[in-house]
Amino acid sequence: MPEQLPPPRLGAQRIAVLAAHLLQVASPPQIKASRLVALENLGPTDQRGTVPAGVSLVCADGTRMLLRATSGASQTPYPDEDPHPNWRVPEDIAV
């Protein structure tokens, strides 16, 4: 898993990585396993199948789910670089 979040202009990838980080730190008992996934039909056309597009979840009861990340348009441009590059999910996060 990437240590840092992708830049804000890569909204869907950024959300997918953030969700994976949150799940890793919070470690909710309802989620047995989670991992980032790349999907062959989603993402930048030159990187489909290689960039994070969601999070695959295996729940404690065996149910499998896909949390798919999406991003919409903004009226203001996204910065090319992360304005908070050193931010990390707090270790004491709870669900």
Side-chain angles (χ1 to χ4, degrees):
M1 175 175 356
E3 188 68 25
Q4 291 193 345
L5 298 176
R9 64 182 168 72
L10 300 176
Q13 292 88 349
R14 185 175 174 88
I15 293 298
V17 173
L18 176 60
H21 279 267
L22 288 168
L23 285 165
Q24 184 179 43
V25 173
S27 191
Q30 299 88 348
I31 307 296
K32 188 165 74 172
S34 64
R35 66 180 176 89
L36 283 171
V37 294
L39 303 170
E40 68 180 55
N41 295 329
L42 293 175
T45 54
D46 61 337
Q47 295 178 318
R48 288 191 176 158
T50 62
V51 295
V55 180
S56 173
L57 305 172
V58 179
C59 300
D61 67 359
T63 304
R64 294 179 178 271
M65 303 173 77
L66 174 64
L67 177 63
R68 190 176 127 192
T70 62
S71 178
S74 173
Q75 293 180 351
T76 57
Y78 292 111
D80 287 333
E81 296 192 21
D82 195 331
H84 308 284
N86 296 321
W87 183 85
R88 300 289 180 269
V89 176
E91 292 295 324
D92 61 348
I93 194 170
V95 289

